[in-house]
Amino acid sequence: MANAEAKDRKILVAVDEGEESMYALSWALTNIISKNSKVILLYAKPSRVIYPTVEGTGYLFSSNIIATMDKYGNDVADCVMEKAKKLCKEFEHVKVEAKVEMGDPRDAICDSVEKIEPNILVMGTHGYGIIKRTFLGSVSNHCAQRVKCPVLIVKRPKPATEK
Amino acid sequence: MANAEAKDRKILVAVDEGEESMYALSWALTNIISKNSKVILLYAKPSRVIYPTVEGTGYLFSSNIIATMDKYGNDVADCVMEKAKKLCKEFEHVKVEAKVEMGDPRDAICDSVEKIEPNILVMGTHGYGIIKRTFLGSVSNHCAQRVKCPVLIVKRPKPATEK
């Protein structure tokens, strides 16, 4: 899929820990991203969950545990971005920018579309069973309904064993 | 958006009476459809609604009215396809095929994806107010969740007066 008159474009790709989003990125790189495109990788890091104690004065977790959770969150973000950038490197002509936003992926993605105004938003989706689909697919559904730009939802084909 | 290595591809574009689907087709033609692409235009014509009478032996509408409704349905299908083909003609290098299927658009689109196995499904969506969005957007949501191929949902920008 190509168009000779394609101009410089901003492609926002939402990435997460799942193989689905990496497949979506890879598909987009192969099929719709031109030489003059800039790929903006977006990862939404979940906000730290704070549990107030019964008396409302402290936290359920000690500071050590919170620090460990924060480190884990950062490690995951780094790992996702590294994997995504590695995929992009195979397409030398593509400019890449990485953005990590805090919060619910649905809000982070919609807010980023509003700020960045990309030409297209690319997302993966999960499709293994109705419960997973209902829960996890809600991010792409939510964003597809709310953002103003075109949305490309790429589903990873099921491995042969799952067919 | 383009890729030099793009091969022959089948792009299924769901079209209907709305300006949204024509905008989606136009966007896809400009942005993701290459010289070697084949665009398959799909229009789902609503099945004839049969209302049994109270005693279950006849129809609420006379045969004249049914014939008029059928003719109207065919005229709408022709009009939509004509409009869509006209848009495609501006892109001389694109091969075009038109398909009219009977039934609910959701089923017609999902069934066609299964049969045709396109590289991508392109759909428009409506975005004017929550009620319209909930009702009309359900076709693209439904299909995005169910079909196996990548789905591109293109939303028509609101006219300046509606902003």
Side-chain angles (χ1 to χ4, degrees):
Chain A
M1 280 171 262
N3 191 291
E5 288 167 40
K7 293 176 196 158
D8 289 16
R9 300 199 182 253
K10 285 184 280 182
I11 324 283
L12 183 64
V13 185
V15 290
D16 62 19
E17 301 83 345
E19 281 302 317
E20 287 75 13
S21 74
M22 291 300 151
Y23 180 83
L25 170 61
S26 180
W27 195 93
L29 284 163
T30 312
N31 291 282
I32 64 156
I33 295 176
S34 72
K35 283 187 182 174
N36 302 317
S37 299
K38 182 183 186 181
V39 173
I40 303 160
L41 303 166
L42 172 69
Y43 175 72
K45 197 164 76 165
S47 306
R48 186 198 292 168
V49 183
I50 297 170
Y51 297 92
T53 53
V54 179
E55 69 273 23
T57 53
Y59 302 103
L60 191 62
F61 298 128
S62 73
S63 59
N64 273 356
I65 292 176
I66 290 169
T68 307
M69 286 163 74
D70 282 350
K71 191 186 170 308
Y72 174 75
N74 291 336
D75 287 351
V76 171
D78 291 347
C79 179
V80 169
M81 281 303 183
E82 206 168 303
K83 212 169 166 182
K85 283 179 184 170
K86 204 175 161 186
L87 276 176
C88 296
K89 267 189 188 159
E90 289 172 34
F91 298 79
E92 285 170 22
H93 53 269
V94 172
K95 286 165 265 176
V96 182
E97 188 183 319
K99 282 180 78 72
V100 177
E101 297 285 352
M102 293 294 289
D104 185 298
R106 291 172 298 185
D107 300 330
I109 294 166
C110 292
D111 291 351
S112 295
V113 168
E114 207 153 311
K115 274 184 227 158
I116 296 166
E117 297 185 344
N119 296 90
I120 188 167
L121 164 67
V122 179
M123 309 181 73
T125 188
H126 300 242
Y128 307 131
I130 195 160
I131 295 176
K132 267 199 167 182
R133 190 168 61 209
T134 305
F135 179 66
L136 297 163
S138 65
V139 176
S140 49
N141 280 353
H142 178 97
C143 297
Q145 287 212 341
R146 276 158 191 79
V147 303
K148 287 177 186 166
C149 71
V151 179
L152 172 64
I153 300 170
V154 184
K155 198 173 284 183
R156 188 172 71 113
K158 284 185 189 181
T161 50
E162 291 179 44
K163 274 178 184 169
Chain B
M1 279 172 264
N3 190 292
E5 290 167 40
K7 294 174 196 159
D8 289 14
R9 300 199 181 251
K10 285 184 282 184
I11 324 284
L12 184 64
V13 185
V15 290
D16 62 20
E17 300 83 345
E19 280 303 315
E20 288 75 11
S21 74
M22 292 300 152
Y23 180 82
L25 170 62
S26 180
W27 196 92
L29 284 162
T30 311
N31 290 283
I32 65 156
I33 295 177
S34 72
K35 283 186 181 176
N36 301 318
S37 299
K38 183 183 185 181
V39 173
I40 303 160
L41 303 166
L42 173 69
Y43 175 73
K45 197 163 78 165
S47 305
R48 185 198 292 168
V49 183
I50 296 170
Y51 298 92
T53 53
V54 179
E55 67 274 24
T57 54
Y59 303 104
L60 191 63
F61 298 128
S62 74
S63 58
N64 273 357
I65 292 176
I66 290 170
T68 307
M69 286 163 74
D70 281 352
K71 193 188 170 305
Y72 174 75
N74 291 336
D75 287 350
V76 171
D78 290 348
C79 177
V80 169
M81 280 305 183
E82 206 170 302
K83 211 168 167 184
K85 282 179 185 170
K86 203 174 163 189
L87 276 176
C88 295
K89 268 190 188 158
E90 290 173 33
F91 299 80
E92 284 170 22
H93 54 270
V94 173
K95 286 165 265 177
V96 182
E97 187 184 320
K99 281 179 80 70
V100 177
E101 298 285 352
M102 292 295 287
D104 185 297
R106 292 172 298 184
D107 300 331
I109 294 166
C110 291
D111 291 351
S112 295
V113 168
E114 208 153 309
K115 275 185 226 156
I116 297 167
E117 296 186 345
N119 296 90
I120 188 167
L121 164 67
V122 179
M123 311 181 72
T125 189
H126 301 242
Y128 306 132
I130 196 161
I131 295 175
K132 268 200 168 182
R133 190 169 62 210
T134 306
F135 179 66
L136 297 163
S138 65
V139 176
S140 50
N141 280 351
H142 178 97
C143 298
Q145 287 210 342
R146 275 156 191 83
V147 302
K148 288 176 185 166
C149 71
V151 179
L152 172 64
I153 300 169
V154 184
K155 197 174 287 182
R156 189 171 70 114
K158 284 185 192 182
T161 50
E162 291 180 43
K163 272 178 186 167

